[in-house]
């Protein structure tokens, strides 16, 4: 039974997700569309279960599993097979670890793959081609668990002698109660395990993100696809103004969440997504009423978009990564990505998928040219996976930089660490950092190129350096200008965590008189507030140097933040700015493919060090904080 206007729910979920991925500046909270899909999925699956139970008086688990698998797996494999060859158009960093990405996608475990990466959803050094398939991991797990539970429930009730309407009503009641309990349990688990520094677990884990499915299932027990004659009569006379009001308000709130939500905000994970699920449940009820309230058929374009929405979701992300790499205009890239994804999805849904559902395939699907082309695509895809690097250049350079950072730290600890330091040197000799034969400069050569030296006043004082992954790449050479600095630099740090480190050192009395802070590429929603807290909590005698962050793929937000940083010296003479963003922007082709990092590129590191040294010398001429 086709419910008119349910297409609007699918389209709303699709539009918000596409808006988030294509135009993240305009729709920073658009990822809520995923939860819209989850609620609708739980509703639809449970509604279909009740229809089968009412018709046949039972529930066939194998048929259910087969139907679910054939719905989601073939389009997934087709998407991966057809997009893999086109990844050759992208820099090699995008293909790093590609075989594991593909295995995780078709094995429906991308969510675990992302949790184990240890990064938040938005903290990827280089966007992964199939990261969006994490949603299928949760859906597939829900299908498995829910189907088994429903099967056992029906089997148990039938053994109690229940049949017909009694079986249906009792099953509906138990499912309703269980769905409520499961939703509450999932939300409680989310709140108890929530860690603002590890958002990826709360977002990707099934246990903490299962509640949308069960909220949808709960709605299905009350207002399913098939309803009673009494409900039909009630809905047919339901005031249209009231229905429009209860549809318009949730849609408005969902759009506001898409426009103003932030992934890194604790409120998003702990409240906004729960609110999204509840609002979607309300929309399902209202559009189910609208189906009974109107006789006008749904516009064909809505039906087509809803039918292809799953495949559009599958195709849009890898297509966007490829298109946006060659088309710098965001709006044009977004439009092209949607059109290509839509055409590919229509081709899959109307041309190929019917074959997997037992329908007579189109003639071209059985033709030799089609099979020949399919074979070429699959072979090229396998070749791409087999030749993909295990690590991206960015990741490899950061690993090597981390080794160098550890060596610097050990060297500062004195003779007790000499043995470990010697081991580190041996390791370092086999990396690009210390191997002249690999075509890179040695540390000595680099020291000669580093032209700006620091004043004795700075060197005779104490220094603290706090930074993120960009600073990690500089640390092995930082000793050339700050040989005695206390350095805290880690991959993934943002200004929130930098503030924590800063305040701890202030409290412990270990903060240096000269402090360098290099962070901001990992964007948060309160960076200016963090900087102000750093300035306010800095003890007397402190001089601060902030480095403007640069991300070639996120210029709008960071340009605004850099403008704020550059306004600080006028207000605080003991603050200086090393304007790395302005310096590197016209030559960001010297950075790695992510347009942020340069670890392992000594010529870029030299420029960074010179800029840092100039800013330190500048702030040294001013009076410290008084």
């Amino acid at each position: 039974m086709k419910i008119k206007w349910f297409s609007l729910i699918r389209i709303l979920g699709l539009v918000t997700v596409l808006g988030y991925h294509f135009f993240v500046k305009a729709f920073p909270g658009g990822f809520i569309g995923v939860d819209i899909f989850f609620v609708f999925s739980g509703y639809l699956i449970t509604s279909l279960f009740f229809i089968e139970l009412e018709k046949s008086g039972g529930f066939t688990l194998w048929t259910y599993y087969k139907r679910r698998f054939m719905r989601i797996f073939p389009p997934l494999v087709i998407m991966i097979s057809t997009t893999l060859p086109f990844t050759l158009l992208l820099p090699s960093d995008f293909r790093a670890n590609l075989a594991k990405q593909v295995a995780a996608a078709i094995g429906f475990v991308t969510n675990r793959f992302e949790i184990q990466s240890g990064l938040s959803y938005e903290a990827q050094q280089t966007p992964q081609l199939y990261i969006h398939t994490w949603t299928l991991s949760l859906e597939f797990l829900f299908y498995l668990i829910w189907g088994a539970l429903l099967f056992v429930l029906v089997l148990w009730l039938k053994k109690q002698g229940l049949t017909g309407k009694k079986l249906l009503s009792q099953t509906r009641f138990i499912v309703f109660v269980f769905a409520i309990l499961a939703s509450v349990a999932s939300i409680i688990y989310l709140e108890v395990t929530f860690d603002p520094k590890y958002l990826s677990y709360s977002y990707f884990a099934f246990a903490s993100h299962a509640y949308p499915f069960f909220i949808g299932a709960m709605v299905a027990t009350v207002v399913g696809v098939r309803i009673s004659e009494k409900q039909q009569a009630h809905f047919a006379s339901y005031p249209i103004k009231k229905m429009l009001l209860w549809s318009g308000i949730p849609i408005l709130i969902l759009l506001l969440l898409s426009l103003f939500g932030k992934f890194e905000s604790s409120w998003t994970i702990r409240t906004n997504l729960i609110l999204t699920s509840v609002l979607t449940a309300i929309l399902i009820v209202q559009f189910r009423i609208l189906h009974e309230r109107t006789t006008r058929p749904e516009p064909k374009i809505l039906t087509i978009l809803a039918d292809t929405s799953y495949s559009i979701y599958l195709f849009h992300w890898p297509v966007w990564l490829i298109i946006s790499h060659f088309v710098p205009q965001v709006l044009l890239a977004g439009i092209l990505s949607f059109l290509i994804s839509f055409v590919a999805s229509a081709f899959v849904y109307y041309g190929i998928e019917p074959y997997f559902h037992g329908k007579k395939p189109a003639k071209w699907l059985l033709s030799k040219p089609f099979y020949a082309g399919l074979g070429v695509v699959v072979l090229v895809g396998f070749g791409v996976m087999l030749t993909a690097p295990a690590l991206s250049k960015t990741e490899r350079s950061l690993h090597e930089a981390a080794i160098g950072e550890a060596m610097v730290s050990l060297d500062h600890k004195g003779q007790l660490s000499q043995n470990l330091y010697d081991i580190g040197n041996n390791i370092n000799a086999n990396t690009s950092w210390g191997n002249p034969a690999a075509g890179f400069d040695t540390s000595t050569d680099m020291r000669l190129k580093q032209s700006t030296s620091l004043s004795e006043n700075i060197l005779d004082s104490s220094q603290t350096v706090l930074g993120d992954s960009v600073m990690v790449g500089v640390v092995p050479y930082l000793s050339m200008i700050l040989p005695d600095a206390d350095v805290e630099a880690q991959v993934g740090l943002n200004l929130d965590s930098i503030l924590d480190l800063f305040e701890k050192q202030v409290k412990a009395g270990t903060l240096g008189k000269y402090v360098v802070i290099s962070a901001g590429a990992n964007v948060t929603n309160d960076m200016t507030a963090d900087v102000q807290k750093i300035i306010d909590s800095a003890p007397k005698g402190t001089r601060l140097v902030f480095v403007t962050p640069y991300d070639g793929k996120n210029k709008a937000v960071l340009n605004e933040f850099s403008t704020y940083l550059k306004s600080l010296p006028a207000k605080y003479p003991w603050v200086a700015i090393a304007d790395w963003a302005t310096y590197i922007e016209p030559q960001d082709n010297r950075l790695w493919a992510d347009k942020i990092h340069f670890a392992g590129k000594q010529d870029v590191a030299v420029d960074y060090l010179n800029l840092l040294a100039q800013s330190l010398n500048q702030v040294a001429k001013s009076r410290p904080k008084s």
Side-chain angles (χ1 to χ4, degrees), residues 309-616:
S309 60
Y310 169 59
S311 292
I312 291 175
Y313 176 80
L314 290 179
F315 275 98
H316 86 280
W317 181 243
V319 169
W320 162 255
L321 290 181
I322 295 168
I323 295 297
S324 62
H325 184 71
F326 294 99
V327 181
Q329 295 85 359
V330 176
L331 179 61
L332 179 59
I335 293 173
L336 288 175
S337 298
F338 171 75
L339 292 176
I340 293 171
S341 299
F342 174 72
V343 171
S345 301
F347 177 79
V348 171
Y349 183 82
Y350 295 110
I352 299 178
E353 278 195 67
Y355 171 77
F356 294 101
H357 297 293
K359 298 180 181 179
K360 186 177 180 180
K363 291 183 179 180
W364 58 265
L365 194 60
L366 302 176
S367 64
K368 290 182 180 179
F370 175 77
Y371 280 108
L374 180 64
V376 171
V377 168
V378 171
L379 286 175
V380 173
F382 270 111
V384 171
M385 284 194 297
L386 293 175
T387 58
L391 292 174
S392 68
K393 294 177 181 178
T394 304
E395 291 170 325
R396 187 178 68 242
S397 63
L398 286 175
H399 284 314
E400 294 176 357
I403 293 174
E405 179 188 6
M407 290 171 57
V408 171
S409 178
L410 289 172
D411 189 34
H412 288 171
K413 296 182 185 301
Q415 290 299 316
L416 292 177
S417 301
Q418 187 62 47
N419 290 337
L420 290 176
Y421 181 72
D422 290 340
I423 293 173
N425 266 325
N426 291 332
I427 297 174
N428 189 58
N430 294 313
T431 71
S432 59
W433 290 95
N435 185 3
F440 294 93
D441 293 334
T442 64
S443 298
T444 304
D445 293 332
M446 187 177 177
R447 188 187 299 274
L448 294 175
K449 293 180 180 179
Q450 205 276 318
S451 58
T452 304
S453 58
L454 292 177
S455 70
E456 291 299 324
N457 290 338
I458 299 174
L459 296 176
D460 290 340
S461 187
S462 56
Q463 314 103 25
T464 296
V465 177
L466 305 175
D468 55 17
S469 54
V470 174
M471 182 57 73
V472 169
V474 180
V475 167
Y477 309 117
L478 195 60
S479 60
M480 298 173 191
I481 62 172
L482 295 171
D484 301 316
D486 178 21
V487 182
E488 287 279 355
Q490 300 175 33
V491 175
L493 288 186
N494 54 38
L495 277 165
D496 285 340
S497 45
I498 293 289
L499 174 61
D500 289 340
L501 291 173
F502 185 87
E503 290 178 337
K504 286 178 181 177
Q505 292 204 22
V506 170
K507 187 176 181 180
T510 58
L511 189 74
K513 297 299 182 182
Y514 288 84
V515 181
V516 175
I517 295 177
S518 174
N522 298 310
V523 176
T524 64
N525 61 348
D526 52 1
M527 293 195 296
T528 56
D530 288 336
V531 170
Q532 189 60 54
K533 289 177 183 178
I534 288 172
I535 291 173
D536 293 341
S537 60
K540 293 181 179 180
T542 303
R543 292 179 174 90
L544 287 173
V545 172
F546 289 99
V547 182
T548 56
Y550 181 77
D551 180 353
K553 299 178 180 178
N554 192 18
K555 293 181 182 179
V557 172
L558 290 183
N559 282 348
E560 182 179 347
F561 177 63
S562 294
T563 300
Y564 162 75
L565 288 180
K566 287 185 282 188
S567 70
L568 295 176
K571 187 175 181 181
Y572 307 100
W574 47 276
V575 174
I577 304 301
D579 196 2
W580 172 247
T582 300
Y583 175 83
I584 199 62
E585 181 174 8
Q587 46 185 335
D588 67 359
N589 60 314
R590 299 170 65 194
L591 304 173
W592 292 118
D594 65 352
K595 299 298 183 182
I596 299 175
H597 299 94
F598 52 88
K601 295 192 173 189
Q602 287 90 334
D603 58 330
V604 185
V606 166
D607 294 345
Y608 187 94
L609 288 174
N610 282 329
L611 197 65
L612 195 58
Q614 291 167 13
S615 299
L616 283 167

Side-chain angles (χ1 to χ4, degrees), residues 13-259:
L14 181 65
V15 167
T16 51
V17 170
L18 295 187
Y20 172 62
H21 284 157
F22 294 170
F23 315 113
V24 66
K25 303 300 183 301
F27 297 94
F31 50 84
I32 64 169
V34 167
D35 289 76
I36 295 175
F37 282 130
F38 285 170
V39 175
F40 189 76
S41 182
Y43 169 82
L44 188 61
I45 294 305
T46 309
S47 294
L48 293 175
F49 158 74
F50 283 121
I51 291 175
E52 180 180 345
L53 184 62
E54 183 178 0
K55 282 184 176 181
S56 65
F59 177 59
T60 307
L61 185 61
W62 171 250
T63 302
Y64 163 81
Y65 280 154
K66 181 181 178 181
R67 188 165 55 241
R68 289 296 90 209
F69 182 79
M70 297 306 291
R71 176 68 183 99
I72 66 176
F73 191 71
L76 173 65
V77 173
I78 293 169
M79 179 275 292
I80 293 174
S81 300
T82 53
T83 55
L84 274 175
F86 290 97
T87 62
L88 292 172
L89 300 174
L90 295 171
S92 62
D93 278 11
F94 286 87
R95 297 190 298 278
N97 219 9
L98 191 54
K100 287 187 178 180
Q101 287 189 55
V102 171
I106 62 177
F108 301 107
V109 291
T110 301
N111 67 321
R112 305 308 306 180
F113 185 78
E114 296 306 321
I115 288 172
Q116 292 172 6
S117 72
L119 296 175
S120 70
Y121 183 59
E122 296 188 334
Q124 304 292 335
Q125 303 296 344
T126 301
Q128 296 181 9
L129 286 157
Y130 305 117
I131 184 177
H132 65 306
T133 61
W134 74 269
T135 60
L136 302 186
S137 306
L138 269 62
E139 285 212 37
F140 194 69
L141 192 55
F142 170 74
Y143 295 155
L144 288 176
I145 295 173
W146 196 227
L149 288 174
L150 294 176
F151 176 76
V152 171
L153 174 61
V154 172
L155 194 63
W156 178 73
L157 289 176
K158 291 178 74 173
K159 283 188 176 183
Q160 305 303 310
L162 296 179
T163 58
K165 291 184 177 180
K166 287 186 177 181
L167 173 63
L168 184 63
S169 61
Q170 191 67 23
T171 303
R172 196 182 300 276
F173 173 75
I174 294 176
V175 169
F176 176 77
V177 173
F178 184 85
I180 292 178
L181 295 176
S183 301
V184 172
S186 177
I187 292 172
I188 290 175
Y189 182 81
L190 164 66
E191 299 297 340
V192 170
T193 61
F194 180 79
D195 183 352
K197 296 182 180 179
Y198 192 27
L199 297 178
S200 61
Y201 181 80
S202 297
Y203 192 67
F204 288 123
F206 178 77
S208 56
H209 209 155
Y211 58 86
F213 298 104
F214 292 111
I215 289 175
M218 180 177 59
V219 175
T221 64
V222 181
V223 184
V225 170
R226 179 174 293 182
I227 57 178
S228 66
E229 292 181 0
K230 184 178 180 180
Q231 282 181 312
Q232 288 178 348
H234 176 67
F235 289 167
S237 60
Y238 193 86
I240 193 71
K241 289 184 178 180
K242 187 176 180 181
M243 188 278 302
L244 291 175
L245 179 66
W246 280 100
S247 299
I249 292 176
I251 291 175
L252 177 61
I253 296 174
L254 289 172
L255 290 177
L256 290 174
L257 291 176
S258 299
L259 291 171

